[in-house]
């Protein structure tokens, strides 16, 4: 009776295509092995009620409405929930989407006693993301749900690419924190709407395609060139702050990088995806400057029941 249900979900990194994805262009997204776990247990009458959290209550109701609509039998229960996460919040690494995917999967099983297909979970998670964020692309929840490399085009297609990031590229990748942006993703999307035009969208799309080719062929030189070019385009639409540009210049002696995610223009711009030519010197520099970083490791599993 007192059973705990837990699902675990990865975060995500946009390798290329941030902002342009909002306008229907493709984005290359990968799941990363920073994970979020969501657990539910049946509430004993005396203890603190999990229903008091508005966001979690909204997700629970959304799941129940889906079950009613599909005429799937379920048992109404009160719950306690627990979130354990390694994914930094508000940094463009998909923490919100991870929570949406993990909680949907857990609530579906909690109310019905059975596991659901990823497609249903992903679709419901996207509906929830739309409630919490004005104009999500759907790429974040898809990466969290399916894992691996995804080529995502809003309302057009979601391709799970059947190849992985090769060792000669993956081993040199790091996520470096430029600090939390003042602006939310939604604010950045609004801000960009006046700055972006068809020519920039086309250039970003070319960069996405080149990155796909570089990963497929294990071409580290093309990968680096594409990263540098992508960063220039993001600077053009002003989503990289002065402070972050300076950090990228300081880091350029160790390799090259770009921001990943919506960015930020006033103070910080979130995480950088960085390709290190000299790993040891880079890590020494980051620890001297007390800059937070993660070794980039892609995740190929996506959502899993624990």
């Amino acid at each position: 009776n007192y059973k705990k249900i837990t699902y675990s979900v990865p975060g995500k990194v946009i390798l290329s295509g941030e902002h342009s994805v909002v306008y229907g262009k493709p984005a290359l997204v990968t799941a990363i092995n920073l994970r979020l776990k969501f657990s539910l247990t049946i509430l004993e009458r005396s203890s603190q009620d999990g229903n008091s959290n508005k966001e979690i209550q909204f997700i629970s109701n959304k799941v129940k409405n889906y079950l009613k609509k599909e005429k799937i039998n379920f048992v109404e229960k009160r719950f306690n929930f627990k979130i354990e996460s390694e994914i930094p919040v508000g940094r463009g690494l998909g923490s919100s989407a991870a929570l949406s995917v993990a909680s949907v999967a857990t609530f579906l099983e909690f109310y019905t006693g059975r596991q659901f297909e990823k497609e249903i979970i992903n679709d419901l998670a996207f509906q929830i993301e739309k409630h919490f964020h004005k104009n999500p692309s759907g790429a974040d929840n898809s990466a969290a749900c399916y894992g691996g490399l995804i080529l995502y085009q809003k309302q057009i297609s979601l391709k799970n690419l059947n190849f992985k990031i090769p060792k000669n590229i993956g081993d040199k990748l790091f996520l470096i924190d430029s600090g939390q942006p003042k602006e939310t993703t939604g604010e950045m999307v609004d801000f960009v709407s006046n700055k972006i035009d068809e020519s920039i969208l086309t250039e970003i799309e070319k960069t996405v395609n080149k990155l796909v080719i570089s990963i497929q062929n294990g071409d580290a030189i093309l990968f680096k060139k594409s990263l540098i070019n992508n960063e220039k385009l993001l600077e053009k639409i002003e989503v990289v702050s002065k402070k972050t540009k300076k950090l990228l210049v300081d880091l350029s002696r160790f390799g090259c990088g770009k921001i990943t995610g919506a960015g930020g223009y006033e103070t910080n711009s979130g995480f950088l995806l960085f390709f290190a030519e000299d790993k040891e010197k880079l890590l020494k520099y980051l620890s001297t400057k007390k800059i937070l970083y993660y070794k980039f490791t892609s995740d190929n599993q996506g959502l899993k029941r624990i």
Side-chain angles (χ1 to χ4, degrees), residues 198-268:
E198 199 51 48
S199 66
I200 290 178
L201 290 173
T202 306
E203 284 305 311
I204 295 175
E205 184 171 8
K206 283 181 192 166
T207 306
V208 171
N209 294 335
K210 281 179 182 164
L211 268 177
V212 172
I213 293 163
S214 71
I215 291 168
Q216 207 169 0
N217 299 338
D219 185 341
I221 293 166
L222 181 60
F223 186 88
K224 283 186 299 192
K225 272 187 189 157
S226 307
L227 272 197
I228 293 165
N229 196 31
N230 200 164
E231 173 59 25
K232 281 180 188 157
L233 292 164
L234 292 167
E235 289 180 12
K236 252 189 188 170
I237 56 171
E238 297 173 32
V239 297
V240 189
S241 70
K242 266 192 189 146
K243 190 179 157 205
T244 306
K245 283 182 201 170
K246 186 184 177 308
L247 175 62
L248 276 164
V249 170
D250 292 345
L251 293 171
S252 64
R253 68 192 106 150
F254 313 116
C256 60
K258 65 176 272 287
I259 64 155
T260 174
Y265 55 86
E266 205 178 315
T267 52
N268 309 315

Side-chain angles (χ1 to χ4, degrees), residues 144-159:
C145 193
Y146 296 107
L149 274 170
I150 286 174
L151 195 60
Y152 182 88
Q153 222 167 336
K154 196 177 175 179
Q155 290 161 340
I156 298 174
S157 66
L158 184 156
K159 269 191 218 142

Side-chain angles (χ1 to χ4, degrees), residues 1-5 40-42 109-110 113-114 305:
N1 178 17
Y2 194 73
K3 199 172 116 197
K4 185 177 178 188
I5 299 168
L40 285 170
T41 47
I42 293 172
E109 186 179 337
F110 182 73
R114 68 182 180 86
R305 169 81 153 80

Side-chain angles (χ1 to χ4, degrees), residues 60-300:
S60 163
N61 291 339
K62 195 84 179 162
V63 167
K64 286 189 284 191
N65 291 341
Y66 165 80
L67 294 169
K68 282 174 198 158
K69 192 176 111 244
E70 296 298 320
K71 300 186 172 46
I72 296 166
N73 288 337
F74 69 95
V75 180
E76 185 74 67
K77 304 173 203 170
R78 293 171 69 207
F79 59 84
N80 262 334
F81 73 92
K82 187 180 180 190
I83 301 165
E84 297 164 87
S85 182
E86 304 165 338
I87 309 166
V89 175
R91 292 289 219 287
L93 297 183
S95 68
S96 160
L99 176 60
S100 296
V101 172
S103 57
V104 164
T106 312
F107 274 119
L108 282 168
E109 186 179 337
F110 182 73
Y111 288 129
T112 66
R114 68 182 180 86
Q115 295 181 33
F116 280 70
E117 298 82 43
K118 281 187 174 181
E119 208 173 321
I120 291 167
I121 293 163
N122 193 39
D123 192 50
L124 267 172
F126 185 39
Q127 303 308 320
I128 286 158
E129 282 290 280
K130 281 186 200 165
H131 172 81
F132 291 125
H133 307 285
K134 230 177 13 190
N135 191 7
S137 67
D140 288 22
N141 49 280
S142 300
C145 193
Y146 296 107
L149 274 170
I150 286 174
L151 195 60
Y152 182 88
Q153 222 167 336
K154 196 177 175 179
Q155 290 161 340
I156 298 174
S157 66
L158 184 156
K159 269 191 218 142
N160 283 73
L161 301 177
N162 58 359
F163 48 88
K164 294 173 182 171
I165 296 176
K167 208 168 156 31
N168 67 325
I169 293 172
D171 279 359
K172 293 183 174 178
L173 290 178
F174 292 84
L175 292 165
I176 299 172
D177 192 12
S178 81
Q180 182 154 11
K182 269 194 179 172
E183 306 82 8
T184 65
T185 297
E187 284 164 357
M188 288 307 294
V189 169
D190 284 349
F191 171 76
V192 165
S193 61
N194 311 313
K195 311 250 180 300
I196 207 155
D197 60 36
E198 199 51 48
S199 66
I200 290 178
L201 290 173
T202 306
E203 284 305 311
I204 295 175
E205 184 171 8
K206 283 181 192 166
T207 306
V208 171
N209 294 335
K210 281 179 182 164
L211 268 177
V212 172
I213 293 163
S214 71
I215 291 168
Q216 207 169 0
N217 299 338
D219 185 341
I221 293 166
L222 181 60
F223 186 88
K224 283 186 299 192
K225 272 187 189 157
S226 307
L227 272 197
I228 293 165
N229 196 31
N230 200 164
E231 173 59 25
K232 281 180 188 157
L233 292 164
L234 292 167
E235 289 180 12
K236 252 189 188 170
I237 56 171
E238 297 173 32
V239 297
V240 189
S241 70
K242 266 192 189 146
K243 190 179 157 205
T244 306
K245 283 182 201 170
K246 186 184 177 308
L247 175 62
L248 276 164
V249 170
D250 292 345
L251 293 171
S252 64
R253 68 192 106 150
F254 313 116
C256 60
K258 65 176 272 287
I259 64 155
T260 174
Y265 55 86
E266 205 178 315
T267 52
N268 309 315
S269 308
F271 273 89
L272 309 172
L273 175 67
F274 197 82
F275 184 93
E277 300 281 11
D278 193 329
K279 283 201 284 194
E280 275 162 35
K281 281 189 181 156
L282 170 72
L283 298 185
K284 203 173 165 185
Y285 179 85
L286 294 174
S287 69
T288 307
K289 296 281 182 191
K290 296 188 168 52
I291 296 171
L292 173 73
Y293 72 91
Y294 295 98
K295 174 77 195 80
F296 172 97
T297 311
S298 45
D299 165 280
N300 298 302

Side-chain angles (χ1 to χ4, degrees), residues 2 42-50 78-80:
Y2 194 73
I42 293 172
L43 182 73
E44 299 299 336
R45 284 234 162 77
S46 59
S47 57
Q48 179 63 43
D49 193 346
R78 293 171 69 207
F79 59 84
N80 262 334

